[in-house]
Amino acid sequence: MRKPAASPRTPLLSRRPDWAGRNYVLLTAAAIVTNLGTHGALIAAAFAVIQSGGDGGDVGLVAAARTLPLVLFLLIGGAVADRIPRHRVMVAANALNCVSQAAFAVLVLAGDPQLWQMMVLTALCGTGQAFFSPAAEGMLMSSVSGEQAGRAFALFRMAMHGAGIGGAALGGAMIAAVGPGWVLAIDAAAFAVAGAFRAFLDVSHIAERKPGGGLLADLREGWQEVVGRPWLWSIVAQFAVVVALVGAAESVYGPLVARDELGGARPWGLALAAFGVGTLSGALLMMRWKPRRMLLVGTLGVFPLALPSAALAVPLDVVGLSVAMFVSGVAIEVFGVAWMTTLHQEIPEEKLSRVSAYDWFGSTAMLPLSTALAGPAESLFGRSQALWGSAVLIVVVTALVLFVPDVRNLTRRTHTKELTRGPEAPAAAGDSTVTRC
């Protein structure tokens, strides 16, 4: 594959690796921008609710308003992204997020946002994410191939996580300095910039979709792709449980343990920071490591996700908890890169977004229920017992997945289909990743 001619006016681009094509660079830059804005905005939205006179229940309602449309529209978003050019779906979703966050910022800066208004605007953001996420995952997977694809996806994830950590820290500082309204305004601007980057994506290498039998037929075809592959549906089912349990532990039990046993919010913040450093370290590891039995290695990497629940159940001191969070951060990146490598290698390009949508749906569908039931479970069984139960369930469902032969035996191919190759990427094997609005 011929490389672009070197230009004295673009020395950085001329020195980029062969696997870092134009689409990959644009997607990575856009993901950095949106993650810088979004992670600060999530904190700003909660403080906006509190400053308007809301309580913890109101904060939960606004968070649920974001999650519900995400679950409801994910599958439709995946079908749409496989039907029309994915970059158009991404740009439209970014435009919706830009407008909704800008309106949210205006309401907060004006001084008297109503709860229902904040719920509607965050629901619009969740709707945008439902359409954006499957399109973005499919677009990223089609932008990179070659034997270094795993390295490319690991670097993408590392950039995304790094921007998320920086965005949360910067957002927190800005909320204290100028208030949540301006952080929401910056997030709206970030969506506008990221959408502009994504508008320049090149989709000429992706074959035009043949006219299909409608949206329901597309959804049915994606479902058949999932259920026809035991390794795929078993891991999606596994993560429906794992994400629900981890989400309840981190969003409900973690802050409570920190308040009652560790001395306040600061130790929990340090533990979350350790998790973030772990994700960066895991992505760095996967840039260099290409395990042959990638799905087996990835699944083994899920076991350490039980460690934070166990550490909170004891509870360990802040050092022990931070170590557990760091290890789980490394582990989730080992799984994430291995999982996306497998999807990229095994799933036809024209079905990537629909399969990604079912994957996302499985990972998020039970999360609202698990967080809602965390309080009753604590009252019924006790906090420590609920956390130990979560840790044990994560281990059990992960062990069950290892009984699926393809999970143990599926191997990385050195040379694979070229249908996902981008215009600047060399031919051969593959990987993928996840991005969020």
Side-chain angles (χ1 to χ4, degrees):
M1 179 65 65
R2 188 175 62 192
K3 289 192 270 188
S7 167
R9 305 173 94 179
T10 57
L12 291 177
L13 292 179
S14 66
R15 291 200 298 267
R16 70 189 180 197
D18 289 343
W19 43 262
R22 177 176 177 273
N23 278 359
Y24 176 85
V25 172
L26 286 171
L27 287 166
T28 304
I32 290 172
V33 171
T34 48
N35 275 272
L36 279 170
T38 298
H39 282 72
L42 290 172
I43 303 171
F47 276 90
V49 175
I50 294 170
Q51 290 184 9
S52 67
D55 56 15
D58 293 330
V59 173
L61 286 174
V62 172
R66 180 189 295 268
T67 305
L68 184 59
L70 174 62
V71 174
L72 291 177
F73 293 114
L74 261 174
L75 299 183
I76 297 173
V80 168
D82 275 343
R83 179 174 285 267
I84 64 177
R86 292 181 181 125
H87 71 308
R88 294 182 184 175
V89 179
M90 297 166 70
V91 171
N94 284 168
L96 176 61
N97 290 138
C98 174
V99 172
S100 63
Q101 291 295 78
F104 199 169
V106 169
L107 284 175
V108 174
L109 291 172
D112 190 27
Q114 302 298 306
L115 179 61
W116 70 267
Q117 293 172 325
M118 293 185 284
M119 290 178 66
V120 168
L121 292 171
T122 53
L124 288 176
C125 187
T127 301
Q129 185 178 344
F131 283 86
F132 173 85
S133 298
E137 185 162 327
M139 193 71 213
L140 183 65
M141 283 193 265
S142 70
S143 72
V144 177
S145 70
E147 294 188 16
Q148 299 301 319
R151 175 176 293 182
F153 293 121
L155 178 61
F156 180 92
R157 291 175 68 94
M158 185 165 62
M160 189 174 65
H161 290 312
I165 294 169
L170 183 61
M174 288 190 64
I175 291 168
V178 297
W182 289 109
V183 177
L184 292 166
I186 290 172
D187 189 36
F191 277 119
V193 172
F197 284 153
R198 288 159 179 151
F200 288 99
L201 292 169
D202 182 5
V203 295
S204 61
H205 62 290
I206 302 176
E208 288 189 20
R209 271 57 169 177
K210 297 178 181 179
L215 196 63
L216 288 178
D218 286 351
L219 289 172
R220 192 181 309 114
E221 190 175 340
W223 174 249
Q224 290 170 347
E225 192 73 30
V226 173
V227 298
R229 301 173 185 269
W231 61 267
L232 181 53
W233 64 256
S234 63
I235 289 181
V236 170
Q238 171 202 15
F239 264 77
V241 177
V242 171
V243 171
L245 295 171
V246 171
E250 292 189 357
S251 64
V252 179
Y253 296 133
L256 293 175
V257 171
R259 182 195 67 188
D260 297 340
E261 306 288 346
L262 302 179
R266 186 172 179 272
W268 183 236
L270 291 173
L272 291 175
F275 176 82
V277 173
T279 62
L280 294 177
S281 302
L284 184 61
L285 169 65
M286 295 306 287
M287 285 185 66
R288 298 179 175 274
W289 184 30
K290 296 192 293 185
R292 183 168 176 269
R293 295 194 179 186
M294 50 198 175
L295 206 53
L296 174 62
V297 168
T299 302
L300 292 174
V302 180
F303 284 106
L305 298 187
L307 290 176
S309 293
L312 289 168
V314 174
L316 297 181
D317 61 16
V318 64
V319 174
L321 178 59
S322 296
V323 170
M325 293 289 282
F326 173 83
V327 172
S328 68
V330 174
I332 194 59
E333 285 306 296
V334 171
F335 170 82
V337 175
W339 175 242
M340 306 206 171
T341 302
T342 306
L343 290 178
H344 180 272
Q345 175 177 290
E346 299 296 324
I347 304 300
E349 193 278 334
E350 69 274 9
K351 299 177 183 177
L352 281 172
S353 289
R354 278 169 287 175
V355 171
S356 296
Y358 280 105
D359 179 20
W360 274 74
F361 181 81
S363 295
T364 58
M366 291 179 61
L367 188 56
L369 180 64
S370 69
T371 52
L373 292 178
E378 180 182 13
S379 299
L380 185 61
F381 303 110
R383 184 187 301 164
S384 180
Q385 288 76 9
L387 283 163
W388 279 120
S390 295
V392 170
L393 272 175
I394 290 171
V395 171
V396 169
V397 297
T398 303
L400 290 175
V401 168
L402 291 175
F403 284 97
V404 178
D406 284 345
V407 172
R408 302 192 308 272
N409 301 325
L410 194 148
T411 58
R412 182 191 301 268
R413 291 198 291 270
T414 304
H415 299 286
T416 188
K417 60 198 177 196
E418 297 187 28
L419 54 85
T420 57
R421 188 175 71 243
E424 298 176 38
D431 301 59
S432 106
T433 198
V434 178
T435 183
R436 303 179 189 272
C437 86

